[in-house]
Amino acid sequence: MKRLLACSILTALAAASATAGDAQTPVFDPHYLSEQVKTLASDAFEGRGPATAGEKRTVAYVISQMKAAGLQPAGALKDGKRSWTQPVPLGRFEITGTPSFSLTMDGKSEPLTQGDQIAVRAAQDGSTSVDIANAPLVFVGYGVKAPERNWDDFKGVDLHGKIAVALINDPDFETGQGDFGGKAMTYYGRWTYKYEEIARQGALGLLIIHETAPASYGWPTVKNSNTNTQFDIVREHPAEVHSKVEGWIQRDLAVQMFKDAGLDFDALKKQAQTRDFKPVTLKGETFSAKFNVDASVITSQNILGRVKGSQRPDETVFYSAHWDHLGVGEPDATGDRIYNGAVDNATGTAALLALGKAFAHGPKPERSVVFLNVTAEEKGLLGSEYYATHPLYPEAKTVAVINMDAMDPHGPARNFTISGSAKLGLLDDLIAVAKADGVSYAPDPHPEAGYFFRSDHFSFAKRGVPAISFGSGDDWVDGGLAAGEAADKAYTKDHYHQPSDQWQADWSFTGMAHDLGMLYTLGSKLANSHEWPNWSRDSEFRAARDATADQRK
Ligand SMILES: [Zn+2]
């Protein structure tokens, strides 16, 4: 997932060998990075889709490169010995045949076309068939229940047997000020949260009203990511987190539905931005759905290598990056069907291998350093979610997670960023390392897009583990902000999640090589200290971390 936030660093390329201000900082080789990305993003890897031939090839290749880098296997125990991988069982859910959806108003039924007016995911609650006839519709505002903010959109309404309808993002996105971080998105603004909350509320389902600005993406993204095959980690009680109908509807349809029920969409939206909002039934209107689901379990792999700590091996610093991309899919205009994922995320995987090599060949760290190459990020952060729920090294003694997703393959920049707005000691440490190197921190320019929740560090963050996802800077040494921003835009528009995200011969990888120096220094400092970074006092992730404080004495 994840666009290129920006690209990164360096005041002058000539300073590259002395970057990160530490005599012990290894020099990262742009050519090594380029070759790794070229290989991982080649057609032979078939777009690195989980549980495909492309996965087999990818996993074998990454293991071979971790071995060559000098890492030790750090995956699941097999016959008392660490293997290179952690098996990740994933539920796979697909709607079979053409699903049927309709709205009924005063006895008159109107069919809704999947992918056009509505986009409903294959049910993940354990149902193999969904058959809902004339369920009442209830507008629940932003669908948020946040006790610590004294906010409850549900007000005790009984949603059993009903379909909820909700807005995307959080209640203060449009006004820009309020209890949910203003324009920045809290987790309450994410559709993943809304689905989870609606399942807790016991509703039959949720239809999220798509609006481009608060969603931060257009309808095609909603359509593409909801009408294809769905994946989830295998859960014991899936209905606790998934209702039967999880979908989106187009804004125009929502406005019409409200109008037909004698309601004004814009007026109700305004109400939903206040604490006093109460759920509103769309009188006289009902929703029907009928579809079959093919559910199966596949097994994918996380890949783990490690440099064991010399003094405190049970304390672990993590670097992470996802290896998966979208595999083989719909052809683009040129007929290309392979989604190579060069930037997203062959770059992160190459970075992980380069860092592994540097640690394996450098001075032995006091704490252990694990290199975690996760699967199924593109399917909803599932590899990292699985690792975080089945940790191989104690989470309480996981010092920090430094995630890399979609790094910029071009030249160096004078700044760097992280995904989303977050306040934590780990970021302060990175800012200090970068500053010594003449590189400044540029906060995520679009915290409302919720990027904090869209890469693998989040699976750790929500369990309290200090975690950030590094983003390359956009103030290029060569060309400044104009060049960096133009490249960022071009990537998002022309290559992000498209078959054209392919390795380019003119990519210098010098920016990435520089940034890896900073990330190495950050990890090395943590791995050679007694420091336990934490979240800021007002962070929603602080309490989870503090709960295990006694294990870090
Ligand atoms: Zn990614």
Side-chain angles (χ1 to χ4, degrees), residues 1-3 322 324-325 343-346 377-378 403-406 454-456 491 496-497:
M1 210 166 278
K2 169 123 218 36
R3 83 205 147 134
H322 71 90
D324 68 301
H325 195 59
V343 165
D344 186 10
N345 190 26
E377 188 270 357
E378 303 286 5
N403 186 59
M404 297 162 294
D405 192 353
R454 290 161 73 172
S455 193
D456 294 302
Y491 173 75
Y496 174 67
H497 283 194

Side-chain angles (χ1 to χ4, degrees), residues 43-308:
D43 282 356
F45 286 69
E46 298 177 41
R48 304 186 307 276
T52 65
E55 157 155 3
K56 278 206 182 80
R57 193 159 197 143
T58 305
V59 172
Y61 178 75
V62 170
I63 291 173
S64 75
Q65 295 306 296
M66 283 190 173
K67 272 185 194 162
L71 297 177
Q72 298 301 312
L77 286 167
K78 239 188 228 158
D79 306 326
K81 275 172 62 183
R82 291 276 172 201
S83 61
W84 284 100
T85 60
Q86 175 184 43
V88 178
L90 297 173
R92 180 184 184 281
F93 309 88
E94 195 165 20
I95 292 180
T96 53
T98 306
S100 100
F101 304 105
S102 63
L103 278 174
T104 303
M105 183 70 203
D106 292 334
K108 226 180 83 197
S109 179
E110 182 201 344
L112 302 174
T113 308
Q114 168 83 324
D116 186 0
Q117 295 137 302
I118 189 167
V120 172
R121 313 204 286 177
Q124 298 174 44
D125 70 327
S127 303
T128 51
S129 72
V130 170
D131 191 353
I132 292 169
N134 294 311
L137 292 154
V138 182
F139 176 59
V140 294
Y142 286 87
V144 169
K145 184 168 182 166
E148 80 286 2
R149 286 167 162 92
N150 188 28
W151 193 285
D152 179 5
D153 283 332
F154 300 98
K155 307 282 194 306
V157 67
D158 182 6
L159 290 175
H160 289 90
K162 298 172 188 170
I163 298 286
V165 179
L167 297 159
I168 189 63
N169 214 308
D170 53 35
D172 64 6
F173 167 76
E174 290 203 345
T175 58
Q177 44 190 310
D179 298 302
F180 293 86
K183 259 213 142 8
M185 189 193 277
T186 63
Y187 187 49
Y188 298 108
R190 283 287 286 162
W191 53 265
T192 47
Y193 163 76
K194 295 176 195 292
Y195 285 159
E196 290 162 12
E197 186 57 46
I198 244 35
R200 282 191 286 270
Q201 297 287 332
L204 276 180
L206 172 66
L207 297 175
I208 297 172
I209 301 165
H210 173 259
E211 294 186 276
T212 301
S216 84
Y217 37 76
W219 180 257
T221 301
V222 170
K223 174 188 165 177
N224 293 340
S225 49
N226 286 277
T227 58
N228 60 0
T229 307
Q230 302 293 308
F231 294 86
D232 191 11
I233 63 170
V234 173
R235 299 178 192 273
E236 226 172 298
H237 306 289
E240 286 176 2
V241 286
H242 293 292
S243 61
K244 288 191 188 306
V245 176
E246 296 175 326
W248 294 64
I249 51 175
Q250 292 253 37
R251 184 184 190 279
D252 289 351
L253 174 64
V255 170
Q256 189 59 46
M257 282 163 64
F258 279 60
K259 205 173 155 203
D260 290 345
L263 301 167
D264 182 82
F265 175 75
D266 288 312
L268 273 176
K269 189 204 267 188
K270 282 236 155 55
Q271 279 180 32
Q273 291 162 3
T274 70
R275 268 201 174 73
D276 300 333
F277 170 81
K278 285 197 193 79
V280 179
T281 299
L282 275 65
K283 282 214 179 74
E285 214 156 359
T286 60
F287 177 77
S288 300
K290 199 169 159 65
F291 57 92
N292 293 320
V293 176
D294 177 43
S296 56
V297 173
I298 58 161
T299 301
S300 187
Q301 311 284 333
N302 287 334
I303 313 166
L304 298 97
R306 179 167 88 139
V307 173
K308 196 174 172 183

